[in-house]
């Protein structure tokens, strides 16, 4: 079975070794680069399935590297690692073509979960449009904001992931298992209780909409129902 190949671009040698070791144990084929210039050189020489890139690096930062790589390949998944906390930097990363980001410090397990989710979506050929609109509401996954009419709601990453899945499948039943696997790569019963908590908050957000309603489908999952054409 072919292993998914990860191009890891990280200038911190210790962190790079830890990530490489962990991903190798998870069954990935990992190629490492220490800065953006080296990352571009290696990308041109190998077939890569996903790019994991630090933002702040010497010679060429992650933003510039991804900007250039997107001229070569506009579809490959990109996940940024960043110590920056400003929303502006996160938004900039998405605008340059990132598919996800993870703030440092992070748990290796969370990185693995994010990588598997991005690869699964890439293999399934799902479109990566970070801005979605339904009726009077729009979701901007990049900035993790939900707009309902003129009101803007700041979301957590998990809330944004759940809404992204629901907005992509309006008036369809989205299984709870699908959401848990996308968020945690695990459909354990304890995660189901955690999911219910997020759904409760999201339902409160959507109660501000005139046309959207988040419904429970007993024993299966949830449906984002809309009473207005979009």
């Amino acid at each position: 079975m072919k292993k998914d190949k990860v191009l890891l671009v990280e200038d911190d040698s210790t962190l790079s070794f830890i990530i490489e070791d962990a991903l190798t144990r998870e069954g990935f084929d990992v190629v490492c680069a220490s800065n953006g210039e080296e990352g571009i050189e290696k990308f041109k020489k190998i077939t890569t399935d996903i790019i994991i890139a630090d933002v702040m690096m010497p010679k060429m930062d992650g933003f510039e590297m991804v900007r250039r790589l997107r001229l070569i390949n506009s579809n490959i998944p990109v996940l940024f690692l960043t110590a920056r906390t400003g929303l502006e930097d996160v938004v900039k990363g998405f605008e340059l073509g990132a598919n996800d980001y993870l703030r440092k410090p992070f748990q290796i397990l969370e990185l693995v979960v994010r990588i598997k989710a991005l690869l699964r979506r890439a293999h399934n050929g799902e479109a990566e449009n970070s801005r979605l609109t339904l009726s009077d509401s729009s979701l901007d996954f990049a900035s993790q904001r939900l707009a309902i009419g003129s009101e803007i709601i700041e979301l957590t990453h998990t809330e944004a992931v759940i809404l992204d899945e629901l907005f992509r499948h309006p008036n369809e039943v989205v299984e709870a298992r699908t959401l848990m696997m996308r968020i945690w790569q695990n459909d354990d019963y304890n995660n189901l209780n955690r999911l219910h908590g997020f759904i409760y908050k999201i339902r409160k957000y959507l109660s501000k909409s005139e046309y959207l309603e988040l419904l429970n489908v007993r024993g299966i999952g949830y449906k984002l129902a809309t009473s207005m054409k979009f």
Side-chain angles (χ1 to χ4, degrees):
M1 182 177 177
K2 176 182 173 295
K3 294 182 178 180
D4 287 310
K5 182 164 289 187
V6 177
L7 175 58
L8 172 63
V9 189
E10 168 62 63
D11 66 310
D12 183 329
S13 58
T14 300
L15 180 58
S16 179
F17 174 81
I18 292 172
I19 295 175
E20 179 185 12
D21 181 65
L23 296 185
T24 299
R25 290 174 183 271
E26 287 289 332
F28 295 104
D29 183 4
V30 185
V31 175
C32 297
S34 60
N35 58 66
E37 290 182 355
E38 186 181 352
I40 291 176
E41 291 175 4
K42 292 195 174 182
F43 182 82
K44 292 178 178 179
K45 295 178 181 178
I46 63 175
T47 300
T48 306
D49 294 293
I50 188 170
I51 298 170
I52 311 301
D54 189 15
V55 171
M56 295 182 289
M57 295 184 291
K59 295 186 178 180
M60 181 187 296
D61 66 19
F63 287 154
E64 178 61 18
M65 182 193 73
V66 169
R67 186 189 71 79
R68 297 189 187 189
L69 290 180
R70 281 298 185 219
L71 299 177
I72 303 172
N73 186 318
S74 61
N75 297 317
I76 188 167
V78 174
L79 189 155
F80 272 130
L81 304 177
T82 177
R84 299 178 178 180
T85 58
L87 180 60
E88 297 80 6
D89 290 318
V90 173
V91 173
K92 179 179 179 181
F94 276 106
E95 289 177 343
L96 288 171
N99 302 93
D100 202 354
Y101 72 96
L102 194 57
R103 288 194 176 103
K104 298 179 180 179
F106 54 84
Q107 297 292 324
I108 292 296
L109 177 59
E110 184 176 7
L111 175 61
V112 172
V113 167
R114 300 281 187 92
I115 291 172
K116 289 182 177 179
L118 287 175
L119 285 171
R120 183 169 63 250
R121 296 181 71 183
H123 294 330
N124 290 338
E126 294 184 21
E128 291 292 344
N129 181 4
S130 70
R131 293 180 176 84
L132 302 170
T133 299
L134 287 177
S135 301
D136 60 347
S137 306
S138 62
L139 171 69
D140 189 332
F141 186 79
S143 62
Q144 295 184 183
R145 288 171 172 166
L146 173 66
I148 300 178
S150 60
E151 182 171 353
I152 304 296
I153 300 169
E154 301 287 345
L155 305 168
T156 66
H157 180 78
T158 300
E159 291 168 349
V161 169
I162 294 170
L163 280 166
D164 183 67
E165 196 71 32
L166 293 169
F167 267 61
R168 291 179 187 278
H169 302 92
N171 296 310
E172 298 177 17
V173 177
V174 175
E175 294 185 10
R177 180 178 182 276
T178 298
L179 294 172
M180 289 188 289
M181 292 298 291
R182 181 170 172 190
I183 300 166
W184 299 296
Q185 201 70 18
N186 189 312
D187 59 354
D188 181 82
Y189 181 77
N190 290 327
N191 283 335
L192 181 59
N193 290 332
R194 294 169 67 190
L195 178 62
H196 288 333
F198 286 109
I199 291 294
Y200 175 79
K201 290 184 66 178
I202 289 172
R203 183 174 286 113
K204 289 184 67 176
Y205 299 154
L206 294 175
S207 67
K208 302 175 186 298
S209 169
E210 295 183 41
Y211 306 103
L212 299 181
E213 183 179 8
L214 182 53
L215 305 174
N216 280 340
V217 181
R218 189 174 180 83
I220 301 176
Y222 312 94
K223 180 169 72 171
L224 182 57
T226 176
S227 59
M228 177 180 177
K229 293 183 178 180
F230 49 88

